Amino acid sequence: MKIILSCVLGAILLIAIFGFNPWATSAKSKTLLSTTYTELETGVERKANGIYEVRALTRMPGVSADMVRWWFADYLQTTAHYQRWHPKAHVWMDWENKVPGEVIGASHLVHEYIGKDLQKLRIQFVDPTEILGEYTSQSDRFIICARAGLLEQPINGAQMCHVVQNTEYGAQMRSVFWQGYVEKRRGNDTVFSIEGLLGNTAVARLMLTNKQSAIDLMTHAIEEMNILAGFLPELYQQQGPKSESQTSE
């Protein structure tokens, strides 16, 4: 009986510290790639493992998944481009390890305001399977995922994905951020660290993340993606692959 009681108390202590499934990813693809609307499409929610999930749904009339792919992989190259995306919040950008026409493996280095605070961030784009697990590719859908962290320190603190799905009116983008995934990085690799071990406990996440920062991030995503939707169709028509091929003929 004492052994059983000790095991129960130990389990309760572990849950109190780490929460439920502190590193779980299985639920991410289930809701993010859902073909129907889920309970939370725009809003913020504290998860049982301490993570703050931040969501923003953007309807993008006249936009296609290929346009958004082109924006990230080909067009977005300068601070002027970046500032057009959100004139009030975007300050500066650069790329690290960027290959033309590709975004996976590149890191987007940015200075941007999220809420009232200027954030200096390194957003490392990764194969979506690293965050969502295995999924089926579709020609009418574009998925871009990243690990986000501090630009001036080798620490990541969040994961994120944008899923752009073609619709009858254009496209729809689900933007989801998970605040509280702490990782130390060395170059483009994440490495085991005490910071990661302690930072991924529910207790630490409760102290490091808060509702206001989650709301600020949601608001930022809503604003920047709606601005992008407003000018992307015309920009793509003027400077996209089709316009380039017509010019060369």
Side-chain angles (χ1 to χ4, degrees), residues 142-249:
F142 172 57
I143 301 174
I144 185 170
C145 295
R147 303 178 186 277
L150 302 177
L151 177 59
E152 297 173 338
Q153 298 179 43
I155 293 289
N156 293 333
Q159 298 177 1
M160 56 180 278
C161 289
H162 302 297
V163 177
V164 187
Q165 179 70 52
N166 287 346
T167 70
E168 67 278 3
Y169 60 79
Q172 173 180 278
M173 178 187 288
R174 275 188 177 124
S175 299
V176 185
F177 308 83
W178 296 276
Q179 293 182 316
Y181 281 105
V182 180
E183 301 166 319
K184 194 163 186 178
R185 64 176 187 265
R186 184 177 297 125
N188 283 335
D189 298 323
T190 56
V191 296
F192 175 81
S193 66
I194 296 299
E195 293 93 335
L197 182 64
L198 298 178
N200 285 301
T201 62
V203 171
R205 287 166 172 167
L206 287 171
M207 293 187 294
L208 295 173
T209 62
N210 60 75
K211 188 173 183 179
Q212 187 57 54
S213 67
I215 291 173
D216 289 343
L217 180 57
M218 177 194 70
T219 302
H220 181 88
I222 291 171
E223 291 173 349
E224 69 177 0
M225 293 311 179
N226 274 282
I227 292 171
L228 180 63
F231 68 75
L232 186 56
E234 182 179 359
L235 178 67
Y236 188 80
Q237 184 178 22
Q238 293 174 347
Q239 301 188 43
K242 186 178 293 187
S243 66
E244 292 172 1
S245 63
Q246 290 174 345
T247 302
S248 62
E249 290 175 357

Side-chain angles (χ1 to χ4, degrees), residues 69-128:
R69 181 185 293 108
W70 170 79
W71 167 260
F72 281 103
D74 294 289
Y75 182 78
L76 184 61
Q77 298 180 40
T78 69
T79 293
H81 296 163
Y82 185 60
Q83 289 174 341
R84 185 180 183 185
W85 188 5
H86 196 319
K88 292 184 178 180
H90 289 177
V91 177
W92 171 88
M93 67 146 280
D94 199 357
W95 284 106
E96 182 182 277
N97 303 320
K98 181 72 171 66
V99 176
E102 300 288 340
V103 69
I104 294 175
S107 293
H108 198 201
L109 316 179
V110 303
H111 294 180
E112 63 181 1
Y113 282 95
I114 299 178
K116 297 179 180 180
D117 299 325
L118 180 65
Q119 304 284 343
K120 297 181 180 181
L121 305 173
R122 183 178 187 270
I123 302 167
Q124 180 191 353
F125 293 107
V126 299
D127 190 305

